[in-house]
């Protein structure tokens, strides 16, 4: 009798795992198909066959230039930035025991925005008028802006880690309030910088904060891809630690998990990853919050599948948002940051309504 019961439980578990793997595989296939479709959308409609030919350098001259010079870098930027923000959001929510944690709710994105503004106004980031159809303004020295954005985004994470370590009873809601305070602080700093900036620099700051996938070069995409792969490797290496921490710090410690070390290193990597993504593409709100909660509906809280699933969902959400922004009133391109905010704000309110102390 016990053998039959054990066999039945084992079969149920195997079916459960198969459903998770199927959900992950289907989401990957959908993301690839949407990415191919998004690459073909624009003033020049490009068939998927030409996109595939362009990847191997065999498309017609005009198609080759448009795909490899404009369309494909934009789509890859959406994939990488969405995956970076979503996977870091999933891990933040675990190690902080906070279903509302993400780069945008903890002040990391707002810190990066302040850093970018400081780089443009104070440290010679500079701007030039762009002749590109993709954007009205181009940052003249993007590396200064990127470094400043990363440093200030990382400051928010350090503050959140310090608060969570020295104020043990603060709870998930308290950390979000700390993120709101940091966002307000950095927002005030950005406003002061804009107040003293000239018209050209002011335009660059505002344009950067809108969020834009069209300005990333292949070199920047390579940097972001390396960062993302390294972070995902670490996250998956600690998947069982995250699963243990889902049951609470005491349970995880009883299983031999050094919860303090895992939390500190994970938050540092999440900060590095999110700040790098934001520094390259600007403010993209709520993707890191929404994508993990969407994937939890399909794969649960098992971080073997939730981390890669969140990355795929984040990539898909960002590609869809950007494609919508480019298509809805073409040739005008709507700022992607505004579109993701419209998507994420209702989700944020829904999670608050459910109760900030409950797991999603």
């Amino acid at each position: 009798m016990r053998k039959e019961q054990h066999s039945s439980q084992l079969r149920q578990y195997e079916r459960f795992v198969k459903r998770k793997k199927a959900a992950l595989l289907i989401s990957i296939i959908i993301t690839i198909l949407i990415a191919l479709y998004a690459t073909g959308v624009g003033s020049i409609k490009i068939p998927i066959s030409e996109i595939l030919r362009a990847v191997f350098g065999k498309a017609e001259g005009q198609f080759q230039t448009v795909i490899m010079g404009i369309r494909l870098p934009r789509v890859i930027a959406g994939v990488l930035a969405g995956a970076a923000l979503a996977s870091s959001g999933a891990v933040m929510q675990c190690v902080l025991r906070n279903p509302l944690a993400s780069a945008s709710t903890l002040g990391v994105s707002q810190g990066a925005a302040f850093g970018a503004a400081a780089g443009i106004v104070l440290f010679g980031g500079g701007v030039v008028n762009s002749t590109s159809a993709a954007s009205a303004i181009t940052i003249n020295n993007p590396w200064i802006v990127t470094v400043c954005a990363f440093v200030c985004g990382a400051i928010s994470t350090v503050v959140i880690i310090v608060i969570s370590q020295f104020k043990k009873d603060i709870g998930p809601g308290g950390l979000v309030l700390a993120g709101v305070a940091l966002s307000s602080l950095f927002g005030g700093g950005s406003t002061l910088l804009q107040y003293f900036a000239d018209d050209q620099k002011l335009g660059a700051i505002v344009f950067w904060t809108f969020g834009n996938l069209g300005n990333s070069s292949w070199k920047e995409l390579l940097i972001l891809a390396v960062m993302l792969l390294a972070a995902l490797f670490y996250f998956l290496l600690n998947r069982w630690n995250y699963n243990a921490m889902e049951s609470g710090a005491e349970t995880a410690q009883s299983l031999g998990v050094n919860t303090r070390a895992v939390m500190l290193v994970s938050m540092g990597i999440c900060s590095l990853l999110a700040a790098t993504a934001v520094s390259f593409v600007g403010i993209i709100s709520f993707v890191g919050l929404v994508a993990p909660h969407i994937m939890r509906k399909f794969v649960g809280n098992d971080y073997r599948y939730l981390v890669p699933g969140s990355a795929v969902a984040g990539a898909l959400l960002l590609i869809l948002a950007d494609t919508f922004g480019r298509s809805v009133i073409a040739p005008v391109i709507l700022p992607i940051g505004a579109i993701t905010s419209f998507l994420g704000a209702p989700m944020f309110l829904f999670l608050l309504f459910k109760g900030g102390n409950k797991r999603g």
Side-chain angles (χ1 to χ4, degrees), residues 39 42 69 73 81 84-85 90 99 162 175 189 210 223 235 259 302 334 338:
T39 306
L85 293 170
V162 170
L175 287 177
F210 283 165
I223 292 171
F235 294 157
T259 55
D302 188 339
L334 296 178

Side-chain angles (χ1 to χ4, degrees), residues 39-282:
T39 306
V41 170
S43 56
I44 301 174
K45 302 293 183 183
I46 302 176
I48 291 178
S49 59
E50 285 296 328
I51 296 171
L52 296 176
R53 284 166 59 85
V55 172
F56 296 100
K58 296 182 178 180
E60 296 179 16
Q62 183 186 29
F63 287 158
Q64 186 75 28
T65 301
V66 171
I67 293 170
M68 299 305 294
I70 301 173
R71 301 274 183 86
L72 194 59
R74 187 183 190 102
V75 171
I76 291 176
V79 169
L80 295 176
L85 293 170
S87 58
S88 63
V91 173
M92 284 180 178
Q93 289 164 15
C94 173
V95 299
L96 293 177
R97 296 292 299 155
N98 186 345
L100 303 176
S102 71
S104 56
T105 56
L106 296 180
V108 176
S109 297
Q110 292 76 11
F114 170 76
I120 292 169
V121 176
L122 301 177
F123 299 107
V127 293
V128 294
N129 291 327
S130 175
T131 57
S132 170
S135 63
I137 296 172
T138 299
I139 304 297
N140 191 31
N141 194 335
W143 289 106
I144 290 178
V145 176
T146 298
V147 170
C148 291
F150 166 71
V151 169
C152 291
I155 289 173
S156 292
T157 300
V158 172
V159 173
I160 292 295
I161 290 174
V162 170
I163 291 174
S164 65
Q165 289 298 293
F166 290 97
K167 189 71 174 174
K168 298 291 186 181
D169 60 343
I170 190 171
L175 287 177
V176 171
L177 289 176
V180 170
L182 288 169
S183 299
S184 178
L185 177 65
F186 284 121
S190 297
T191 301
L192 285 175
L193 288 172
Q194 292 176 38
Y195 183 79
F196 290 106
D198 60 35
D199 291 344
Q200 200 176 36
K201 290 179 178 178
L202 176 62
I205 294 170
V206 173
F207 185 77
W208 190 91
T209 57
F210 283 165
N212 181 27
L213 300 180
N215 284 338
S216 296
S217 67
W218 285 107
K219 184 183 291 186
E220 291 170 342
L221 293 177
L222 178 61
I223 292 171
L224 185 53
V226 171
M227 290 288 302
L228 175 62
L229 290 175
L232 287 176
F233 177 78
Y234 176 81
F235 294 157
L236 291 175
L237 202 63
N238 284 273
R239 60 195 183 278
W240 294 111
N241 292 336
Y242 298 144
N243 284 344
M245 291 172 73
E246 277 291 317
S247 301
E250 292 181 0
T251 301
Q253 288 170 357
S254 69
L255 293 172
V257 178
N258 187 339
T259 55
R260 181 183 176 85
V262 171
M263 191 276 285
L264 290 174
V265 176
S266 296
M267 283 297 293
I269 292 175
C270 287
S271 168
L272 181 64
L273 184 59
T276 302
V278 170
S279 65
F280 284 148
V281 302

